[in-house]
């Protein structure tokens, strides 16, 4: 079959699968080839640090679409297959076995990979990372026998995994370089809420600490030594120190890369026939007025829809308000908006902060709502996103007053 008009997608995870769905949904009848390194049918990752890790549901709930869907929709799903190069001049991608697949348009949804802990002992057995379903299986199995778990990094993955480890009955120490967990993402006021959530749930939270070494014997990790010399004993060590976008293919093909693959608002890279979406894309966001790279589920779910439409020649621009969520212990929250570290002037709370049932807003110097988060309060996130989208200043008294409906403020 000729592949001159083929839509080729590299990276068969949430973003890749959503793009394939959209191409077929929009009536594209030519070849759609979805290529992924993993052996698993495209799946969603958020449960890997939450319900799936805690054994609350099985693998079947992870899949973006059941396996049969791909055949039924004539999506040529090539799993266990890595693309090793892009040849933009020939409009071909090169596979691990040296064979080539031609494309009319190419979408990169190669996602991201965990950053490794750059200390001696970082590669010992028992130092676990969490990105793929097998990692989650490994951690869950380790929790069955672990009495002491050390988590390096108090970001989202580290904190969710710490909560799952507590749920499994382990003693948990969380080690964080910054003064508070999630400080860069949420700022001090809300980071303190997450610190207290974990200490209230029995986590030994050590902030402002530097991991100097992972200690162990016979190739197996048995603890962590901090820069001040103090030892932390642990049967299992989980590292959640951030991710880096998988840009190698794009960079080697000469595409513009800077903290991800640079795209315009249509998700088009510096090559007009190559697009990027999901964790790997650093896309121009018209509402925010700059390029942003979003490492969250909602972005991987919605951005490829716009990319696929743009691949079909439709005039689209991806400008959804960024969204993410977390679940830890009895706290569930949703966040809408975008704030750079230290990029806000004021924080306004409404509701019961000590009781962890509240909404919080981050305001710019001009009184605009840059972002908002609803904690254990539901059905208000659309109103928060509307406030962010409006770009209008909102009075802080009205924001703080829980009797004023949020949707009356946008
Ligand atoms: C444990 C965990 C929990 C999370 N929880 C949340 C949450 O609660 N809320 C939230 O908003 N977000 C969460 N996220 C983030 C969210 O899952 C990601 O933003 C999302 O998975 C990104 O999807 P993606 O398709 O862009 O990339 P990925 O999911 O990283 O998928 C990229 C795929 O491309 C493949 N690939 C890469 N290079 C090649 C190549 N050269 N050839 C072939 N295939 C290739 C990879 O193997 C991978 O399968 C979580 C992530 C993890 C890991």
């Amino acid at each position: 079959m000729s592949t001159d008009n083929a839509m080729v997608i590299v990276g068969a995870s949430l973003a890749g699968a959503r793009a394939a769905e959209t191409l077929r949904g929009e009536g594209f009848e030519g070849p759609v080839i979805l290529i992924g390194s993993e052996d698993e049918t495209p799946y969603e990752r958020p449960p890997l640090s939450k319900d799936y890790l805690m054994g609350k549901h099985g693998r079947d709930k992870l899949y973006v679409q059941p396996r049969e869907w791909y055949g039924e929709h004539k999506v040529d799903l090539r799993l266990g297959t890595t693309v090793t190069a892009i040849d933009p001049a020939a409009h071909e991608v090169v596979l691990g076995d040296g064979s080539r697949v031609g494309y009319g348009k190419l979408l990169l949804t190669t996602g991201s990979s965990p950053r490794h802990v750059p200390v001696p002992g970082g590669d010992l057995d028992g130092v676990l990372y969490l990105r793929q379903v097998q990692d989650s299986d490994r951690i869950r199995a380790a929790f069955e026998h672990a009495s002491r778990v050390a988590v390096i990094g108090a970001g989202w993955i580290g904190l969710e995994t710490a909560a799952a480890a507590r749920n499994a009955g382990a003693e948990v120490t969380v080690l964080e370089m910054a003064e508070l967990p999630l400080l860069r993402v949420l700022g001090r006021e809300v980071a303190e809420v997450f610190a207290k959530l974990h200490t209230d749930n029995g986590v030994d939270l050590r902030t402002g600490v530097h991991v100097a070494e992972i200690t162990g014997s016979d190739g197996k990790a048995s603890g962590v030594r901090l820069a001040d010399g103090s030892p932390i004993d642990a049967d299992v060590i989980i590292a959640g120190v951030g991710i880096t976008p998988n840009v190698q293919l794009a960079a080697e093909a000469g595409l513009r890369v800077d903290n991800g693959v640079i795209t315009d608002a249509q998700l088009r890279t510096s090559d007009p026939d190559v697009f990027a979406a999901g964790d790997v894309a650093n896309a121009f966001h018209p509402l925010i007025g700059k390029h942003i790279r979003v490492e969250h589920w909602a972005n991987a779910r919605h951005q490829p829809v716009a990319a696929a439409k743009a691949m079909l020649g439709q005039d689209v621009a991806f400008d959804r308000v960024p969204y993410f969520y977390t679940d830890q212990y009895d706290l569930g929250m949703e966040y809408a908006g975008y704030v750079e570290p230290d990029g806000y002037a004021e924080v306004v709370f409404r509701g019961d902060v000590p009781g962890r049932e509240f909404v919080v807003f981050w305001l710019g110097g001009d009184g605009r709502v840059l972002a908002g988060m609803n904690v254990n309060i539901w059905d208000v996130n659309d109103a928060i996103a509307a406030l962010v989208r409006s770009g209008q200043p909102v009075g802080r008294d009205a924001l703080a007053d829980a009797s004023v409906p949020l949707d009356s403020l946008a």
Side-chain angles (χ1 to χ4, degrees):
M1 190 196 329
S2 159
T3 50
D4 292 354
N5 68 339
M7 300 289 187
V8 173
I9 305 165
V10 182
S13 182
L14 175 56
R18 290 281 292 163
E21 276 176 34
T22 307
L23 290 168
R24 287 297 181 235
E26 292 294 309
F28 177 69
E29 288 179 354
V32 175
I33 305 168
L34 176 54
I35 307 172
S37 298
E38 293 184 68
D39 291 320
E40 203 71 41
T41 304
Y43 60 94
E44 306 209 2
R45 299 183 201 271
L48 303 184
S49 52
K50 307 179 190 68
D51 284 1
Y52 182 79
L53 179 59
M54 291 189 278
K56 292 188 183 171
H57 66 68
R59 260 185 207 213
D60 51 319
K61 288 244 175 89
L62 300 178
Y63 300 120
V64 184
Q65 290 286 1
R67 183 59 186 263
E68 321 73 82
W69 181 91
Y70 298 89
E72 286 164 9
H73 292 80
K74 296 196 170 46
V75 172
D76 180 358
L77 178 60
R78 304 200 190 170
L79 297 175
T81 305
T82 296
V83 171
T84 54
I86 305 167
D87 182 343
H91 274 60
E92 288 174 346
V93 296
V94 183
L95 306 185
D97 64 3
S99 63
R100 287 173 168 251
V101 176
Y103 63 80
K105 299 272 188 282
L106 176 67
L107 175 64
L108 299 176
T109 50
T110 47
S112 46
S113 301
R115 218 174 269 146
H116 276 233
V117 189
V119 296
D123 53 0
L124 287 174
D125 229 24
V127 182
L128 303 176
Y129 292 83
L130 179 49
R131 186 77 199 170
Q132 302 190 353
V133 64
Q134 295 82 358
D135 300 328
S136 184
D137 291 341
R138 219 170 284 132
I139 293 173
R140 180 159 27 136
F143 282 172
E144 280 171 22
H145 308 287
S147 56
R148 287 162 311 179
V149 173
V151 177
I152 304 175
W156 297 115
I157 302 282
L159 293 181
E160 289 173 1
T161 311
R166 290 294 297 142
N167 184 267
E171 284 176 29
V172 178
T173 307
V174 173
L175 304 167
E176 168 58 46
M177 210 156 64
E179 243 179 286
L180 284 167
L182 300 166
L183 183 59
R184 276 176 59 79
V185 201
L186 300 180
R188 174 172 305 279
E189 300 83 351
V190 183
E192 279 169 355
V193 173
F194 280 86
K196 186 155 184 330
L197 172 70
H198 281 266
T199 52
D200 283 356
N201 280 281
V203 168
D204 177 6
L205 175 64
R206 312 243 190 133
T207 53
V209 298
H210 290 262
V211 170
E213 184 185 0
I214 308 220
T215 51
S217 52
D218 302 327
K220 170 106 187 68
S222 60
V224 173
R225 190 176 56 75
L226 301 181
D228 66 4
S230 45
I232 315 282
D233 292 336
D235 321 300
V236 177
I237 296 161
I238 294 154
V241 293
I243 54 179
T244 49
N246 295 324
V247 296
Q248 197 186 344
L249 279 180
E252 287 175 3
L255 302 181
R256 215 176 131 216
V257 165
D258 180 10
N259 177 33
V261 180
I262 298 284
T263 78
D264 61 15
Q266 290 209 316
L267 291 319
R268 193 184 304 262
T269 70
S270 51
D271 179 319
D273 289 330
V274 183
F275 295 73
D279 273 22
V280 78
N282 187 357
F284 183 77
H285 196 291
L287 186 66
I288 293 161
K290 57 174 13 185
H291 284 84
I292 62 169
R293 193 171 67 76
V294 180
E295 302 169 345
H296 292 298
W297 169 87
N299 185 66
R301 187 172 160 72
H302 298 297
Q303 204 178 44
V305 173
K309 289 180 178 177
M311 290 163 81
L312 294 171
Q314 298 179 23
D315 186 15
V316 290
F318 183 72
D319 70 348
R320 281 179 82 101
V321 174
Y323 166 96
F324 66 89
Y325 68 95
T326 188
D327 293 310
Q328 301 171 29
Y329 311 105
D330 58 356
L331 181 150
M333 75 78 170
E334 299 173 290
Y335 175 109
Y338 180 79
V339 186
E340 305 255 306
D342 298 322
Y344 63 95
E346 192 183 359
V347 165
V348 176
F349 288 97
R350 74 154 53 190
D352 177 3
V353 181
R356 293 194 272 264
E357 253 185 54
F358 64 91
V359 181
V360 55
F361 304 93
W362 288 262
L363 306 190
D366 52 4
R368 279 187 307 136
V369 176
L370 303 175
M373 173 193 281
N374 47 299
V375 175
N376 287 341
I377 291 181
W378 305 106
D379 301 325
V380 293
N381 200 262
D382 287 348
I384 294 172
L387 283 175
V388 173
R389 180 172 285 285
S390 81
Q392 298 302 315
V394 186
R396 65 175 317 290
D397 291 348
L399 284 174
D401 182 350
S403 70
V404 178
L406 283 180
D407 46 16
S408 70
L409 297 176

